[in-house]
Amino acid sequence: MAQSNPEAKAAAERLGVDLPPDVLSDNAQLKSLTGMARSQVGSEAEAAWKGKVAEVAAKADNALTELGATADLAQASDDVFQRLDGSMQSLQRQGDELRKEVDAALDIRAPVEAGNLQKTLATVINDYGGIAEAKQAFTNEERKLLAMLGEGETAKTPTYARLNTMRDQIGRALNKNEGPWADTPRANLARYYAALADDQLAHIETAAGTEVADKMRASNTLFKQMYDARADMQEVFGRDLDKSLAPLLNRAITQGGKGDIQALNKLISRVPEDMRGGLLASGLLSQAQGKGAQGGFSFANYAKVYRGLRENGPVYQQFAKALGPEGDKVMADLYAISRRMVDADSNVLRTGKANQALLALNAERLVSRVMKGTVTRSIGTVGAGAIGGPAAGGLAMAAQELLAQGGAKNTDRVHTLLSSPEFRALIEKIGTEGEDAAVNRLGGSKALREYLPKSVTDTRAWVRSAMAVGTSSAA
């Protein structure tokens, strides 16, 4: 008799899935027998297996969903975007409020010494090779800046309002690639913006005092954080923030499974910490989906993806950290169950109605191997008197003989026994204090009585004989 694998049984219990005995067992003979029963087209066994696959797949899907996953990566992407964009907008609002307070404390019509901006513009002009060449290379707004500051030896002094408007426009170009300065090279924009900030701050300190200047410094810090946040978003959502992060998420998983952690690190560093677990779980769920008509959770796909991540320590550590201890355990349990579901399904022969005769041939070959003693020791044999003939041997032998006869009726008799709660209970109780009671329940079950030949009158003794490894009795 084949016992349940305790680790697999525990994983199934944690996930809340009820698995057939062959899925939980490590016994190859039980797996082959059950798979052959499920191979009969139109049989109860075939229908029950399809139902079980769908049921366990739904449980697996739910397990990842409870970790925050969604198979809709467009929605997952939008959730992250809205959070990051909201944070960025909040920084801008705070910065704007402080700048309003600063403006209220100033005479915005007062002239401002723009020495830093003048020096910066002169540097840009020299970089271009002189004033003539610079004018040809300048954008319209840069030419306006040159005119505002003056080309002659005597510098002009624009008002605070003029400088402030220009700074807002340059900031808009840097932040959103919009406005009149949008076609100016970003390197130039950054230099002009920094010089304007220094000139404004120096003027505020002189005109309104340190307290007001400190408000401006705080506002500048908030705007810098906003620009940095936007730059991070652009790494994920594109320069115009109009793309999805789904491609990056998929690369993080597929490349991570090959040992390349670059995409994963890029993603992790730019997503809020409390959203990382759900996002990575969404990526796993998306890649675990079947293709085309075989949509829904795919045990084979999940096992492949998880195995790749697990085999690359630094990559998997990022997943485990993001999902937390419970999430890590769920991923491992799903992998353990997925492998066994794939293994069980591989034992189902996809033959079609016209080729069902092949099932009988395969069963006969399996019976032949058992009769030669190649696999009977894993379950045990019973004597000829137990089930009526010297060629018979134990539960597996009788099951194989029924399968060899072919037909949905015989297949269903095998399936009914192997999937019965009494058979499952005995597998789980072997070697424990509850073994005797489990033997009695299976021996008295309807599934076993319908399965055995009518010549077997002591069904409990038959179960005991089937469990006895390497024993036999005379006919």
Side-chain angles (χ1 to χ4, degrees):
M1 195 70 70
Q3 289 180 277
S4 296
N5 181 289
E7 294 180 359
K9 185 173 182 291
E13 290 175 349
R14 286 191 292 267
L15 292 174
V17 295
D18 183 27
L19 297 178
D22 66 297
V23 178
L24 293 176
S25 174
D26 294 325
N27 186 277
Q29 191 173 13
L30 176 60
K31 292 175 181 290
S32 295
L33 285 170
T34 312
M36 200 165 295
R38 293 167 182 155
S39 301
Q40 180 73 51
V41 173
S43 67
E44 177 186 335
E46 181 197 34
W49 177 240
K50 288 181 178 178
K52 180 58 66 175
V53 169
E55 174 193 332
V56 180
K59 285 280 190 178
D61 198 303
N62 290 339
L64 287 175
T65 300
E66 289 176 4
L67 296 179
T70 172
D72 184 354
L73 293 192
Q75 183 62 56
S77 176
D78 188 62
D79 289 344
V80 174
F81 179 89
Q82 294 301 330
R83 170 75 73 82
L84 295 177
D85 188 59
S87 298
M88 190 170 61
Q89 298 299 331
S90 176
L91 290 169
Q92 183 172 2
R93 285 194 298 270
Q94 295 175 63
D96 283 338
E97 288 299 320
L98 286 172
R99 288 191 178 177
K100 288 178 182 178
E101 294 178 22
V102 171
D103 291 347
L106 294 171
D107 177 6
I108 61 173
R109 298 176 181 176
V112 176
E113 295 292 334
N116 289 297
L117 183 57
Q118 289 164 342
K119 291 177 183 177
T120 298
L121 183 59
T123 300
V124 174
I125 289 172
N126 289 334
D127 289 345
Y128 283 140
I131 189 67
E133 289 78 4
K135 283 184 176 181
Q136 292 180 0
F138 276 168
T139 61
N140 287 337
E141 295 305 314
E142 286 178 301
R143 282 190 284 271
K144 290 178 183 179
L145 173 61
L146 177 61
M148 182 186 78
L149 296 179
E151 294 184 43
E153 294 182 0
T154 302
K156 295 180 181 180
T157 52
T159 65
Y160 183 87
R162 180 85 182 270
L163 287 179
N164 205 36
T165 297
M166 181 175 291
R167 187 181 179 194
D168 287 344
Q169 290 176 342
I170 293 176
R172 184 182 174 194
L174 280 170
N175 185 38
K176 298 183 177 181
N177 197 34
E178 296 175 350
W181 285 86
D183 59 347
T184 302
R186 290 186 67 81
N188 289 359
L189 288 174
R191 295 161 80 176
Y192 299 147
Y193 190 87
L196 274 166
D198 290 341
D199 287 334
Q200 279 188 301
L201 198 55
H203 176 79
I204 294 167
E205 188 92 48
T206 301
T210 302
E211 183 177 346
V212 177
D214 285 343
K215 288 184 178 181
M216 191 65 176
R217 291 187 181 94
S219 175
N220 290 345
T221 298
L222 289 168
F223 272 95
K224 183 180 185 304
Q225 291 173 348
M226 181 192 72
Y227 294 142
D228 290 344
R230 184 177 180 86
D232 282 343
M233 288 184 68
Q234 288 174 325
E235 288 290 324
V236 177
F237 295 101
R239 180 175 177 179
D240 295 328
L241 303 184
D242 59 353
K243 301 185 184 303
S244 170
L245 60 67
L248 177 60
L249 176 58
N250 284 326
R251 288 200 306 274
I253 295 176
T254 55
Q255 293 178 6
K258 299 175 183 177
D260 185 350
I261 200 172
Q262 183 176 357
L264 179 60
N265 283 340
K266 180 179 180 179
L267 183 71
I268 288 291
S269 64
R270 289 165 175 83
V271 172
E273 185 173 0
D274 64 321
M275 300 186 79
R276 293 170 187 170
L279 185 63
L280 293 181
S282 295
L284 282 174
L285 180 58
S286 175
Q287 295 210 10
Q289 299 302 297
K291 306 301 181 183
Q294 302 300 317
F297 187 91
S298 164
F299 300 108
N301 288 352
Y302 178 83
K304 178 182 179 181
V305 172
Y306 179 88
R307 184 166 52 249
L309 296 174
R310 190 77 198 197
E311 289 174 351
N312 292 280
V315 174
Y316 188 79
Q317 286 174 11
Q318 290 277 37
F319 274 79
K321 181 179 179 181
L323 287 162
E326 287 303 313
D328 182 19
K329 185 179 296 183
V330 168
M331 287 195 299
D333 286 346
L334 282 176
Y335 176 62
I337 298 306
S338 292
R339 283 193 306 108
R340 288 178 174 274
M341 291 295 289
V342 171
D343 183 41
D345 199 60
S346 70
N347 286 312
V348 179
L349 305 178
R350 315 295 183 185
T351 62
K353 293 182 179 180
N355 298 318
Q356 286 298 299
L358 291 175
L359 293 178
L361 178 60
N362 284 327
E364 288 169 357
R365 289 173 177 170
L366 186 56
V367 170
S368 176
R369 288 198 298 273
V370 174
M371 291 171 65
K372 293 177 181 177
T374 57
V375 293
T376 47
R377 288 187 298 276
S378 64
I379 289 184
T381 59
V382 295
I387 57 174
L395 176 61
M397 186 71 75
Q400 290 155 6
E401 288 179 337
L402 280 175
L403 289 172
Q405 294 170 22
K409 182 177 180 180
N410 288 329
T411 301
D412 285 342
R413 288 169 62 191
V414 174
H415 170 260
T416 299
L417 176 63
L418 297 181
S419 62
S420 68
E422 294 86 2
F423 183 77
R424 179 197 302 273
L426 179 56
I427 286 179
E428 294 176 355
K429 296 297 183 181
I430 290 175
T432 71
E433 293 181 356
E435 179 180 310
D436 288 340
V439 168
N440 290 335
R441 283 195 294 272
L442 179 60
S445 68
K446 179 181 178 181
L448 184 63
R449 289 197 305 272
E450 292 183 351
Y451 166 79
L452 290 175
K454 293 182 179 180
S455 58
V456 179
T457 56
D458 191 343
T459 56
R460 291 173 177 81
W462 187 93
V463 174
R464 279 294 180 195
S465 297
M467 295 172 59
V469 178
T471 63
S472 62
S473 59

